[in-house]
Amino acid sequence: MPESDSAATQTARILEPERKPMAGVTDPYLREQLEKRRVELKTAISAVPATDAPAAAPLVDLLDQVDSAVHRMDQGAYGICDGCQGTVERARLIADPLVRLCLDCLSSDEQRALERDLELASQVQRGLLPQTDVRFGDWRIHYQYKPAGIVSGDYCDLIPPVSQDGKLFFLLGDVSGKGVAASLLMTHLNAMFRTLASIGLELDKLLELANRLFCESTIAGQYATLVCGRASKTGEIEIASSGHPPALLVSPNGVKQVGATGLPLGMFSTSRYAVQRIRLEPGDSLLLFTDGISEARDLSGQEYGIGGLSRAAGDRHGWASKDLVAACLEDVERYSAGVRQADDQTLMAVHLAQSSAAAFND
Ligand SMILES: [Zn+2]
């Protein structure tokens, strides 16, 4: 059994408390955010009539705080916690560049307020997930989604076709970083693909467009790996991958890896994505996973690896998607028993049922 965390410990872990003593934060993005706030505040202050000084006072106070933050950045002291002289968590500075205390130095009331916000973020995120079991023609799709903390940076979606002769989208991805910043990017991916899936682009063009939009909307250094597939009722799958770990095709001939066909989303605005076409036979499955599964470790620190998952899935050709996912996750859990789950884990099986079995189950 993994040891259980208190909510406060989870909060601390989720906000990446990477702390190097006395390391001031000098980030062009944060400087730009401070400069923007300075301009906005000056405009707002100038709009207050000179006769109404009390109305301007809180704005002037905020402007002082912004000026002080820029000054500290110039001195190399920005982002150093006023309480313990450690470094304030970067994700929190992005959310509010005027924050001056690290998580450990917040009062218990402030920590509780933060935990309530995280719980709310978690509810919003869970509300975005598709049903765990989806049927489409003879396809049977099942997934399990296991965040390591309160919120997750894994992205998972199943988007049904808008028309009768359309195809079903299945998507699985992983956003760089952890915690709140990653979960916000995950919700952004969800909204973007839900919109793009309905406009009828070819898969390669769709990913190119998604990449450009993602590049424009993300902060430097944040990106997402993703497998994007489309299943037709005839048993054919089109699949493209932006730097994500390979999908595993489970057939009577063993397990074959279907690798990445392009770079992660958000890295270069000109990225291209080749599309692979695969035909599945009844009984075959395609397994998609995030690296929280392949990088799960045992007590000696050894990774489970793609090999571990391939072995677990290889013995189970013909298994229904739900049983296959459950058996593989049990195998990962057995392997990493006694070790805390460090990363979000998501596993999806896209299974082509035998037509008779499909009819029987319907
Ligand atoms: Zn501190």
Side-chain angles (χ1 to χ4, degrees), residues 19 80-89 100-106:
R19 208 163 298 136
I80 292 175
C81 174
D82 284 356
C84 67
Q85 313 301 309
T87 303
V88 178
E89 300 78 10
R100 297 191 64 159
L101 288 173
C102 80
L103 270 180
D104 289 343
C105 295
L106 293 180

Side-chain angles (χ1 to χ4, degrees), residues 312-333:
D315 297 338
R316 296 177 168 89
H317 177 262
W319 282 39
S321 49
K322 194 172 181 173
D323 299 334
L324 180 60
V325 166
C328 291
L329 286 177
E330 267 172 36
D331 196 59
V332 179
E333 272 172 33

Side-chain angles (χ1 to χ4, degrees), residues 172-187:
L172 192 81
D174 190 356
V175 171
S176 61
K178 285 189 174 63
V180 177
S183 79
L184 285 174
L185 275 187
M186 174 273 179
T187 59

Side-chain angles (χ1 to χ4, degrees), residues 270-290:
T270 53
S271 291
R272 298 276 179 273
Y273 299 92
V275 174
Q276 303 186 65
R277 288 184 170 73
I278 319 168
R279 171 160 291 284
L280 272 69
E281 298 301 330
D284 292 354
S285 294
L286 192 68
L287 262 189
L288 277 55
F289 61 95
T290 51

Side-chain angles (χ1 to χ4, degrees), residues 153-174:
D154 278 5
Y155 165 56
C156 171
D157 208 0
L158 295 164
I159 309 174
V162 276
S163 63
Q164 269 289 317
D165 55 349
K167 296 172 182 174
L168 174 92
F169 274 94
F170 54 91
L171 299 120
L172 192 81
D174 190 356

Side-chain angles (χ1 to χ4, degrees), residues 5-18 89-92 103 114-115 117-119 121-122 125 147-153 177-183 340 342 344:
D5 292 338
S6 72
T9 319
Q10 283 209 28
T11 308
R13 185 148 50 85
I14 213 153
L15 288 164
E16 295 182 278
E18 292 163 12
E89 300 78 10
R90 187 170 184 276
R92 294 180 59 235
L103 270 180
L114 196 60
E115 280 159 21
D117 288 351
L118 280 173
E119 288 294 345
S122 167
Q125 198 169 35
I150 303 170
V151 290
S152 166
K178 285 189 174 63
V180 177
S183 79
R340 189 209 304 262
D344 309 316

